[in-house]
Amino acid sequence: MMTIKELARLCNVSPATISNVLNGTGRVSSETADRVWEAIRATGYRPSFLGKGLRAKDSGMIGVIADDLTMFNVPGIIDGIMECCDGEGYHIILENLRLYARWSDAWFDDDELYQSALQPALEQLHRFHVDGIVYVGGHERPVRGIGQSAETPVVGTYILPVDPDVPAFVLDDVAGGGTATRCLLDNGHRRIGFIGGEPDNIHVIDRLRGYRDALEARGIAYDPDLVFCRHWDRETGFEGAGSLLERGVTAVACAQDFIATGVYDYLAAHGLRAGRELSVVGYDDSDVARFLAPPMSSVALPLHEIGVSAAECLIGILRGGAVPRNLRRPVAGTLSERSSVARI
């Protein structure tokens, strides 16, 4: 690849003159400018974006670190980040940690393993002199080790940073759990079950809290016997549907669409149907919710909005704004209503 010095020698001018022509600065005669542009077209010369950034105060680049691009929530958040950055003139450099692809869930409780992927990614972005970093988690959890460089601000998404100087934008799962439950309440249901993943999971805890709050706001006592939490899998939905139907529920709020597919499996296996014998609301509004028969009502995740908000926050800091301390801003989703809820 031709350098600016080589192009300058070819045009018999100084590198500074080449730079002035490219940037439209300084005094350069029209004859010299024409000669430089002709040489650029003939040689296919491209200025080094990184080199230009290193000589300036800002590089115009923002780093994005993703837990794993294969996680369903990650692409939507990154799309929001990119939309905002494109509109503000920033370029993106992406580091994919591939945590799930490498180690499945073995890294969840192994901080040494996690840091072995995170720290090289941070070092790589610092070598590129990115102006700031947005971290995109695959699931919400406490995260440490991403905010140690005061010169490079970091904003988190879908995570709970331990560092108070790393603002984060997260799901409002309490609101989401309430939205799913109120959909069932508004259709006349009073005996409503809840099916979720691991009981100690942050998403489950918050969605269950929203479910409980919505019931109690309508004067319905919370009944722990109507809660079935095991794993984030289809089998949990299947087993949960059987257990809760035995307890006389007319509806269930599921903490995940994939869990809800297990509910549908149970109903089909017993000659029952969602939206008839049992009303079902899911969570995530994934493609599977639309393709089930009948299509399932589900709480949509505001992934794009989370990405845009995080990028706006970071760019605001880069342009002189104060770093908001201890900011954990929840972003609420909306309900996509379909045919899986019967009116009583």
Side-chain angles (χ1 to χ4, degrees), residues 62 84-85 88 90 155 310-321:
I62 286 176
C84 178
C85 289
E88 297 294 335
Y90 284 90
V155 174
E312 288 176 343
C313 177
L314 179 60
I315 292 171
I317 295 170
L318 296 177
R319 291 177 176 171

Side-chain angles (χ1 to χ4, degrees), residues 314-344:
L314 179 60
I315 292 171
I317 295 170
L318 296 177
R319 291 177 176 171
V323 176
R325 286 181 58 83
N326 293 306
L327 174 65
R328 304 293 179 264
R329 181 167 297 166
V331 183
T334 56
L335 179 69
S336 296
E337 295 189 67
R338 299 190 180 92
S339 311
S340 62
V341 177
R343 187 167 189 84
I344 295 181

Side-chain angles (χ1 to χ4, degrees), residues 233-263:
D233 58 23
R234 200 165 186 154
E235 289 74 18
T236 291
F238 191 97
E239 295 171 7
S243 173
L244 294 177
L245 280 168
E246 288 179 358
R247 288 170 167 77
V249 302
T250 63
V252 293
C254 296
Q256 183 197 50
D257 287 348
F258 190 55
I259 289 176
T261 64
V263 175

